[in-house]
Amino acid sequence: MPTAVPDFASPPKVAALEARLQDLHRFTALSPLFNPVSQLGLELSRQLEAGTLTLDDLDGLIAELECEGLQARASRLVRMVGPVDPAANAATIRAAAQSGDFAQFVARWQRPFLHVVFTAHPTFLLSRAQTAAVVAAASSDDIAASTVCVAPHDRDTITLDYEHEEAMKALTHAQAARDRIVGEVLDAARAQWPKRWREVRPCPFRFATWVGYDMDGRTDIGWHTSIRYRLAEKAERLTGYAAALAQAAPDLAARLARAGERAGEMAALFAQDLADPAALSAAANTLTADHPDKLVSLAPVIAELEAEAREADHDTARTLLVTAAAMRADGLGMGWIHFRVNSSQLQNAIRRRIDPDGRLDLASQAALVRMRELLAEAQPLRTNFAALAIENSTATRQFLAMAQILHHIDADTPIRMLVAECEQPTTVLAALYFAKLFGIADKVDVSPLFETESALEHGGRFLDSLLAEEAYRDYAKGRGRVAIQTGFSDAGRFVGQIPAALAIERLHGRMAEAMAANGLNDVAALIFNTGGESMGRGCHPSSFADRVGWQMSPWARRRFVRAGIRLEPEVSFQGGDGYLSFGSPELALATLTRFAQNGPAEADPKAPTDPFYRRTDLSLDFYRAIRRVQQAHLASDTYSRAVTAFGLGLLNDTGSRKSRRQSDIAADRRMSLRQIRAIPHNAILQQLGYPVNVIAGFGTAADGNVEEIAALLRESDRGRQIVRLVRAANALASIKTVAAYGELYNSAFWASRPYRGDEQHISSASLTLAEYLTKDDRAGVFRRLVSRLRVDAVKLHRLLDLIPDEAPLADREHGRRMMGVLQAIRLALFQHMFLRAVQVPAFSRANDIAREDVLEMVFTLRIEDALAQLRRAFPTSFPEVSDFKVDEPSDWPDGGATGYTAIRRDFIDPIERAWQLSLRITTAIANEFGAHG
């Protein structure tokens, strides 16, 4: 079978490993079970254990592969948002702003093409230094190693403040880019209508954030955190407005600067420890008191700017109107803000009002009737910071915090209230009740979130029921919009990414029908489609046009256009991954220009029906079949056990909200997929080498009707878009890699490894592993999963063979081999960790933790926990007699006892080093995929 193993040392080169992997692939033709990735990992492991290859050598290899991954990340960013050149993008905007009709021009540019929301999802994969390097390379279109690969691999400590700072940076770049666009639009208007251009009020984009305001699943964000952030954002934005107006309106700029300083002082007050009622009272009274520099509304400032612009020279007027446009879009903050709670929190809050005895089913008709009565009877109540401080209901506290923000920080800018897992109209009415009770219903947009399987399945009926409520219709007309949120990330976890996208598309269509049926054609449909940068979490990887069309398809947009309903699309850029697109002013301008080009709110109402929607006899069955396969995986003990085999130890910490939940050893052995959130779930699939939630089921769904399905997908724009997604995922997928990870738990592998007698130095350790793993189920679990994936993949290839590849990747095979090399190195590192772990001497049980528990920690990659236990058992620093100033002499200790320095050096430290190296591989693999999770 394999030829003689080359010596990878002196020093090892990635090119040699790539060549070896390519050579090993030849043997798959001789034996269908031969695994090149596993074999390369074994060859590296043997040399590592023999000492001819060191961890330092692997460090050098990983550094080279990290560099290639960062270059791939920068190249992908340019490919998605390019061209990046600001002059080219300004020219694109100018060309788009040419119009022969003033009314059409105003209608086009005074309504946002899109709302962009910067969230704190845990995707801060790259350090700040790595992010800066990738951004610099993409911004200059110089993707050379000398540009990208200059940052150290050391990771940052990610806190909520860290995430908020990064969101503010992204917002700053987005604002600058929008100012550039607004300036180009005003210039185009001036060229076409010299006497009327000052009448134009451009608002091409709105921005928002929920960093510091999202309470769903978090207990570490207090109400005072949200108040502090909102005040700090106000101070930062006012400072920016003042700087923009320093030359054109110096007196007004000085007033704004003083208001910004005042807001900054207030932010500092709310950064203090407010546990003492006296401290809170002082901070609250200072904020709420009248002051010459207190500013809570920009309406008179905007009016003043626009009045001055009517009389000013062209250049000054341009500056005044650009700043006024920014104020109109952002208000007294860096953007709009989104609070978020879970439906259960709202239900707990409202139950006190309508069902204090806990006897009423909140999903019942009786609860809905009582909710209508309560809402009709609600009268606004006065509130203050003391009421906010003593409130113990999370949902009620959120409404109280919003009331204080609207009363004392920014009275103009609306606030979104996102409600997660919202499946009952009663829950939305409960949110309206609290908004009305605290006098803020005219400034709060309540938005139910649809992301679970149940919510997507019944979402159409939910919207029918909600929009049929008179109180809700009155509220929607008063606000001028109906707002909903959809979640591609969790939906993709529950039903697979392709069925999720199609189910969300159907929900969009049902919303248009429900609004039209209930006489809401004269209000806007604000649809917040949330998804990550990963192809498994809602971001199409092929092109920017596909990204826009994937989250809200032309078919769905046409439903609103034909009903005469104005569409307000909104998308998320999540965490560090998403912020890359706004990592510099150049990238931000490119990103916004691409959105302007692709018209996320636009559709041709006369476009012919795509065959995918016409041939529902095929497409609907195809969708259902894919969904069945995805659901079968999610419900399968085999899939769950394989995905959770390593716990969350394959992943870096990428956010302040931890994915890992505390549990005991036994619980970790049977971790449920329900314990893992969508981002880490998707990230684990990437790291194991096969994005199941994108690919699985696509081939099986066509089985038995492959020619007709292939014809449909070829002829349909929507079908070809889906195929492009599958091809992109399949280009990075490797079932052999999944199988290789399962073999780490194969008792027979470890028993056979020293069989020929040429690895006697690890013979005892290998046999110990073999004996321990005889009772482990993971090897069999991985084999069963691999078999299922392989059957589906064979059917997938049959289908794809009948569909032309529209954009074949020139370096596809090189990219696959690089992924294989990364995986092989990590397999060698894991084998090194396993071997070192079983060679640690036995130690006594402490805190109910025994040696076997520590081994299981290593096998599930709970390495930090394992290392803590090993260091407790084998300390290397001790108190010494010389540390004490006592008069009586002592001959003990006599030097006969020895410490555990050798155990640390030979076993504990190598485990830690190997694990740290493996986490750098995690980052490199994610960069090849283009996102974390």
Side-chain angles (χ1 to χ4, degrees):
M1 289 284 286
T3 55
V5 179
D7 181 1
F8 295 123
S10 303
K13 297 292 185 184
V14 170
L17 297 183
E18 182 184 3
R20 177 60 175 170
L21 189 63
Q22 188 172 10
D23 182 53
L24 290 171
H25 268 287
R26 296 186 297 110
F27 297 102
T28 58
L30 302 177
S31 171
L33 293 179
F34 182 76
N35 193 323
V37 177
S38 186
Q39 178 63 29
L40 181 58
L42 174 60
E43 292 174 2
L44 290 168
S45 175
R46 282 177 167 160
Q47 295 188 26
L48 183 60
E49 302 310 324
T52 58
L53 193 66
T54 68
L55 291 177
D56 285 340
D57 292 329
L58 294 184
D59 191 324
L61 289 169
I62 292 168
E64 189 176 342
L65 290 161
E66 281 177 315
C67 178
E68 182 154 333
L70 289 169
Q71 288 178 288
R73 191 68 178 273
S75 296
R76 179 184 184 274
L77 184 56
V78 171
R79 177 173 58 81
M80 287 295 290
V81 306
V84 179
D85 177 45
N89 288 310
T92 298
I93 295 297
R94 285 196 297 275
Q98 300 305 309
S99 173
D101 183 85
F102 184 75
Q104 289 180 353
F105 182 91
V106 168
R108 175 174 173 78
W109 291 100
Q110 289 191 179
R111 292 176 178 171
F113 293 114
L114 187 73
H115 297 229
V116 176
V117 184
F118 297 91
T119 75
H121 283 81
T123 66
F124 293 89
L125 175 71
L126 304 182
S127 68
R128 277 178 169 155
Q130 290 173 322
T131 296
V134 170
V135 165
S139 300
S140 63
D141 205 10
D142 176 12
I143 317 295
S146 58
T147 305
V148 185
C149 307
V150 295
H153 56 74
D154 301 326
R155 297 196 57 75
D156 299 333
T157 299
I158 303 170
T159 64
L160 183 64
D161 282 345
Y162 177 105
E163 293 168 341
H164 188 261
E165 289 168 9
E166 295 302 302
M168 295 305 105
K169 290 179 190 175
L171 278 163
T172 299
H173 295 148
Q175 291 161 356
R178 184 186 56 202
D179 287 349
R180 177 78 181 266
I181 291 171
V182 169
E184 296 293 346
V185 171
L186 290 173
D187 290 345
R190 177 185 165 195
Q192 296 173 83
W193 304 284
K195 296 182 179 180
R196 301 194 65 185
W197 71 276
R198 289 177 172 84
E199 301 173 27
V200 181
R201 305 288 181 260
C203 186
F205 296 96
R206 277 206 173 98
F207 306 125
T209 182
W210 75 38
V211 184
Y213 308 96
D214 171 17
M215 304 291 175
D216 183 25
R218 299 194 72 144
T219 58
D220 60 329
I221 302 177
W223 64 264
H224 45 83
T225 308
S226 300
I227 298 294
R228 171 170 64 88
Y229 280 157
R230 194 57 177 161
L231 284 165
E233 291 162 19
K234 178 178 181 177
E236 185 173 353
R237 197 67 180 110
L238 282 168
T239 300
Y241 292 148
L245 295 171
Q247 300 299 319
D251 292 342
L252 178 55
R255 297 203 321 259
L256 294 174
R258 290 194 298 272
E261 291 172 1
R262 178 69 178 175
E265 293 167 0
M266 297 303 98
L269 286 179
F270 280 85
Q272 301 176 102
D273 182 358
L274 300 178
D276 183 354
L280 173 57
S281 299
N285 290 336
T286 304
L287 175 62
T288 59
D290 290 335
H291 190 277
D293 297 328
K294 182 177 180 179
L295 182 64
V296 295
S297 175
L298 283 174
V301 177
I302 293 171
E304 183 178 344
L305 288 173
E306 291 173 348
E308 289 186 17
R310 285 194 290 271
E311 307 300 328
D313 62 77
H314 292 318
D315 291 342
T316 300
R318 185 185 192 273
T319 299
L320 298 175
L321 292 175
V322 167
T323 308
M327 291 178 174
R328 186 176 283 106
D330 297 335
L332 282 166
M334 296 296 286
W336 292 14
I337 55 173
H338 291 189
F339 281 80
R340 190 164 80 140
V341 295
N342 192 279
S343 63
S344 61
Q345 294 169 326
L346 262 174
Q347 289 164 3
N348 291 336
I350 200 63
R351 189 179 290 279
R352 302 178 186 179
R353 299 270 172 167
I354 66 173
D355 182 33
D357 297 327
R359 298 177 181 177
L360 189 63
D361 179 3
L362 293 183
S364 66
Q365 189 64 28
L368 183 58
V369 170
R370 181 68 186 109
M371 192 67 250
R372 289 172 187 154
E373 295 171 352
L374 198 65
L375 187 56
E377 297 165 358
Q379 295 297 321
L381 302 177
R382 293 181 300 172
T383 63
N384 60 20
F385 277 99
L388 172 57
I390 66 172
E391 179 58 51
N392 58 15
S393 162
T394 299
T396 308
R397 194 163 56 237
Q398 293 295 79
F399 283 96
L400 288 167
M402 288 189 284
Q404 298 310 305
I405 289 171
L406 288 166
H407 292 160
H408 304 297
I409 301 175
D410 184 350
D412 298 334
T413 307
I415 298 176
R416 194 80 51 82
M417 171 51 85
L418 304 170
V419 184
E421 299 181 13
C422 184
E423 299 182 11
Q424 300 295 333
T426 307
T427 308
V428 175
L429 296 183
L432 295 188
Y433 167 77
F434 285 114
K436 185 176 179 182
L437 190 67
F438 301 136
I440 56 175
D442 62 329
K443 291 293 184 182
V444 173
D445 290 309
V446 177
S447 177
L449 166 59
F450 301 89
E451 63 180 347
T452 65
E453 184 177 353
S454 174
L456 291 174
E457 183 176 350
H458 304 296
R461 289 194 292 274
F462 171 94
L463 289 171
D464 288 339
S465 299
L466 178 63
L467 271 58
E469 292 293 323
E470 183 178 1
Y472 182 82
R473 290 198 305 274
D474 290 344
Y475 159 77
K477 290 177 180 178
R479 284 294 307 132
R481 61 172 59 94
V482 173
I484 70 166
Q485 179 188 4
T486 69
F488 280 79
S489 191
D490 267 314
R493 172 168 60 122
F494 293 128
V495 299
Q497 188 52 227
I498 292 170
L502 296 175
I504 289 171
E505 177 184 46
R506 181 172 178 269
L507 179 69
H508 291 159
R510 288 294 301 273
M511 181 176 177
E513 293 175 5
M515 289 181 69
N518 287 280
L520 293 173
N521 307 68
D522 56 343
V523 304
L526 197 165
I527 301 178
F528 181 16
N529 293 309
T530 51
E533 298 305 295
S534 159
M535 67 184 79
R537 296 185 47 246
C539 185
H540 201 295
S542 296
S543 67
F544 207 92
D546 274 337
R547 178 195 180 115
V548 172
W550 185 252
Q551 293 193 342
M552 191 155 196
S553 71
W555 175 88
R557 282 178 259 160
R558 277 195 293 273
R559 304 295 290 269
F560 289 95
V561 172
R562 288 170 178 168
I565 298 171
R566 182 165 62 87
L567 191 58
E568 289 188 74
E570 186 170 61
V571 299
S572 60
F573 281 83
Q574 299 185 349
D577 282 350
Y579 298 174
L580 278 177
S581 296
F582 293 85
S584 69
E586 295 85 0
L587 288 171
L589 180 60
T591 300
L592 295 183
T593 302
R594 300 292 84 74
F595 275 123
Q597 280 184 302
N598 286 280
E602 299 169 359
D604 180 2
K606 299 179 181 179
T609 303
D610 187 305
F612 194 84
Y613 307 103
R614 190 176 66 247
R615 291 295 310 274
T616 53
D617 57 319
L618 288 176
S619 59
L620 191 57
D621 286 346
F622 188 56
Y623 153 78
R624 288 170 175 162
I626 299 173
R627 179 171 166 163
R628 279 195 298 271
V629 172
Q630 291 283 346
Q631 288 173 323
H633 277 305
L634 193 67
S636 163
D637 289 340
T638 294
Y639 178 75
S640 179
R641 181 67 171 132
V643 170
T644 61
F646 296 102
L648 298 174
L650 284 169
L651 308 179
N652 291 289
D653 283 337
T654 56
S656 64
R657 184 175 80 166
K658 303 304 181 186
S659 300
R660 185 187 302 276
R661 293 178 171 88
Q662 295 298 316
S663 57
D664 57 25
I665 302 298
D668 265 17
R669 287 187 63 86
R670 290 295 177 186
M671 181 184 287
S672 165
L673 281 180
R674 298 286 176 178
Q675 291 177 268
I676 300 179
R677 297 185 177 99
I679 291 174
H681 173 244
N682 201 65
I684 289 171
L685 295 179
Q686 292 176 348
Q687 296 301 320
L688 290 177
Y690 202 81
V692 177
N693 61 346
V694 178
I695 300 175
F698 199 75
T700 298
D703 195 29
N705 199 17
V706 64
E707 289 84 3
E708 202 165 4
I709 291 294
L712 173 66
L713 296 175
R714 285 196 306 267
E715 296 165 6
S716 160
D717 287 340
R718 182 65 157 163
R720 290 195 300 275
Q721 183 188 47
I722 295 171
V723 170
R724 288 193 293 274
L725 176 70
V726 172
R727 286 193 189 278
N730 195 51
L732 295 166
S734 169
I735 295 176
K736 292 286 189 183
T737 297
V738 181
Y741 281 107
E743 290 307 295
L744 291 175
Y745 298 106
N746 185 353
S747 175
F749 165 76
W750 292 105
S752 302
R753 181 161 173 174
Y755 177 71
R756 295 179 61 86
D758 51 359
E759 286 193 286
Q760 289 304 304
H761 52 292
I762 60 166
S763 176
S764 178
S766 295
L767 294 178
T768 301
L769 275 169
E771 186 174 5
Y772 183 90
L773 292 171
T774 54
K775 58 184 181 293
D776 196 281
D777 65 329
R778 280 169 281 201
V781 162
F782 271 93
R783 286 181 176 178
R784 287 193 297 276
L785 176 61
V786 164
S787 295
R788 294 172 188 174
L789 296 178
R790 180 62 72 191
V791 170
D792 183 56
V794 169
K795 296 175 181 178
L796 171 65
H797 292 142
R798 289 175 184 165
L799 175 61
L800 293 181
D801 285 345
L802 300 176
I803 304 170
D805 188 347
E806 296 177 317
L809 299 173
D811 58 349
R812 178 180 185 274
E813 291 308 312
H814 170 72
R816 289 178 65 84
R817 286 193 296 272
M818 288 297 97
M819 293 281 280
V821 169
L822 282 164
Q823 299 283 15
I825 295 173
R826 187 159 61 186
L827 287 165
L829 290 169
F830 284 1
Q831 292 174 61
H832 190 63
M833 290 158 56
F834 286 14
L835 287 166
R836 287 294 180 273
V838 297
Q839 292 179 75
V840 173
F843 56 88
S844 60
R845 176 184 289 270
N847 300 323
D848 208 30
I849 301 292
R851 181 173 184 269
E852 291 73 20
D853 296 322
V854 174
L855 291 180
E856 187 57 37
M857 289 176 185
V858 173
F859 296 151
T860 55
L861 299 187
R862 288 180 55 185
I863 304 301
E864 286 181 324
D865 295 338
L867 291 173
Q869 294 299 326
L870 291 174
R871 287 177 178 136
R872 175 202 58 78
F874 302 104
T876 55
S877 62
F878 306 88
E880 297 184 10
V881 170
S882 60
D883 295 337
F884 302 86
K885 297 184 183 301
V886 295
D887 296 330
E888 187 179 11
S890 174
D891 296 324
W892 183 266
D894 61 358
T898 57
Y900 298 119
T901 303
I903 293 175
R904 285 281 183 101
R905 181 193 64 229
D906 296 338
F907 306 118
I908 299 175
D909 291 346
I911 291 173
E912 181 175 31
R913 178 84 186 281
W915 180 57
Q916 294 294 343
L917 290 173
S918 77
L919 291 179
R920 288 168 58 190
I921 290 175
T922 294
T923 301
I925 289 173
N927 281 331
E928 294 288 350
F929 272 93
H932 170 79

